[in-house]
Amino acid sequence: MRRSPLFAAIALLSCTTAAPVMAEGQADVPPSAAVAAAAKVQPEALAALDRMAKYLRSLKSFGLRADTTLDLVTEDDQKLQFPGTIDYKVRVPNGLRIDMKTDRKERQLFYDGKTLTVYGPKNKLYAQTDAPPTIAKLLAVAEDKYGIELPLADLFLWGTDKAPVSALKSAVFVGPARIDGSVTDQYAFRQDGVDWQLWIEAGDKPLPRRLVITTTDDPTQPQFASTLTWNTNAAVRDADFAFTPPKDAGRIKLVEVDVVAVEDAK
């Protein structure tokens, strides 16, 4: 199967411009037409991104649940969709736990500032390696060294130089919307190879509440969608980030990307 890229380093923008004012006697314009007519990078989007990023960076600990759907494409271009959940516990700068579940796979990730552990509860196998002292550095090491792309890594990249906005072709306000009862603003964005939408909570807690990513350089245009439920007052403990292997669990080696490449070449 071919998987839709999730673009872990995507720079997610938002904008808080008001809906267009209609002139007297002017007919209502469908939202899709209004967005198409205004397709450009709006300056207000950069300011909104900054507000959202600053708020996220202000959170010292939080819990997060993401209800997701992921499109996978078979070799004969048939698109299949799989639902799942991702649960995060975070303590900045050096505590991270991720629990991922789908009908096909379960994975847990533990990081305590010293050690990274990846565990499969179904097969009871785990792999461990020494880790850098911060979450930010862990993201780079996990992907570059081991090919592990953490889900929703953008949470830790927004507002940093790892999430540049220069690649954006358009960034437009779509309109107000409700996500799980919360008032949000919806935005649409485009860059080479990907379209994406973002819903940001209105008010003094500009949290991202929903994300949809469409891969446009694949003819099947697979999508990843996630609805986010936040707990910004979550209590976290050291034990949340430490892994104790079950008695019947087996340890395997976490293989580096370069080693896999060499073996493949042989």
Side-chain angles (χ1 to χ4, degrees):
M1 284 188 177
R2 293 187 282 110
R3 178 187 155 184
S4 165
L6 299 190
F7 293 90
I10 284 177
L12 294 184
L13 283 202
S14 60
C15 60
T16 54
T17 55
V21 177
M22 306 301 294
E24 184 177 356
Q26 182 178 357
D28 290 343
V29 178
S32 58
V35 169
K40 62 180 180 179
V41 177
Q42 301 172 343
E44 295 87 349
L46 300 180
L49 171 63
D50 186 57
R51 288 192 296 273
M52 183 181 70
K54 284 182 177 178
Y55 184 74
L56 288 173
R57 299 286 78 78
S58 73
L59 300 178
K60 302 307 178 185
S61 64
F62 61 86
L64 171 65
R65 182 179 181 87
D67 293 287
T68 67
T69 57
L70 173 67
D71 289 346
L72 296 179
V73 183
T74 65
E75 293 300 329
D76 59 355
D77 289 337
Q78 182 175 4
K79 187 159 51 178
L80 308 175
Q81 189 173 87
F82 295 93
T85 60
I86 305 170
D87 288 287
Y88 261 92
K89 288 186 178 180
V90 177
R91 181 184 63 198
V92 178
N94 57 6
L96 177 65
R97 175 172 174 168
I98 307 175
D99 292 80
M100 297 173 283
K101 293 183 179 181
T102 70
D103 293 336
R104 300 168 61 85
K105 182 186 296 185
E106 291 186 25
R107 290 290 184 271
Q108 292 179 309
L109 184 146
F110 300 82
Y111 166 68
D112 61 3
K114 297 179 181 179
T115 303
L116 170 66
T117 303
V118 180
Y119 176 56
K122 288 187 175 181
N123 57 22
K124 296 185 178 180
L125 296 175
Y126 70 96
Q128 287 183 320
T129 186
D130 293 337
T134 67
I135 295 173
K137 292 181 179 179
L138 173 70
L139 294 177
V141 170
E143 184 171 2
D144 296 342
K145 191 173 183 179
Y146 298 105
I148 300 174
E149 184 179 349
L150 301 186
L152 301 174
D154 306 88
L155 297 174
F156 309 100
L157 300 175
W158 292 328
T160 74
D161 58 2
K162 301 298 183 180
V165 300
S166 57
L168 286 171
K169 305 299 183 183
S170 68
V172 297
F173 175 68
V174 177
R178 286 188 177 271
I179 301 295
D180 291 338
S182 295
V183 178
T184 69
D185 291 317
Q186 180 184 358
Y187 310 94
F189 308 88
R190 173 163 288 177
Q191 60 192 82
D192 290 341
V194 62
D195 289 351
W196 39 280
Q197 301 172 68
L198 180 65
W199 287 254
I200 298 179
E201 186 168 335
D204 59 358
K205 295 182 178 180
L207 291 165
R209 296 299 307 274
R210 181 167 171 78
L211 168 68
V212 176
I213 301 173
T214 304
T215 304
T216 57
D217 57 5
D218 185 322
T220 62
Q221 297 206 349
Q223 288 188 330
F224 169 77
S226 182
T227 299
L228 309 177
T229 303
W230 293 81
N231 181 359
T232 56
N233 296 312
V236 295
R237 306 167 300 159
D238 289 345
D240 293 329
F241 311 114
F243 176 73
T244 302
K247 292 182 180 180
D248 56 349
R251 181 168 180 173
I252 59 177
K253 185 177 181 180
L254 193 62
V255 181
E256 297 183 17
V257 172
D258 289 345
V259 173
V260 174
V262 170
E263 292 299 320
D264 286 346
K266 290 180 180 179

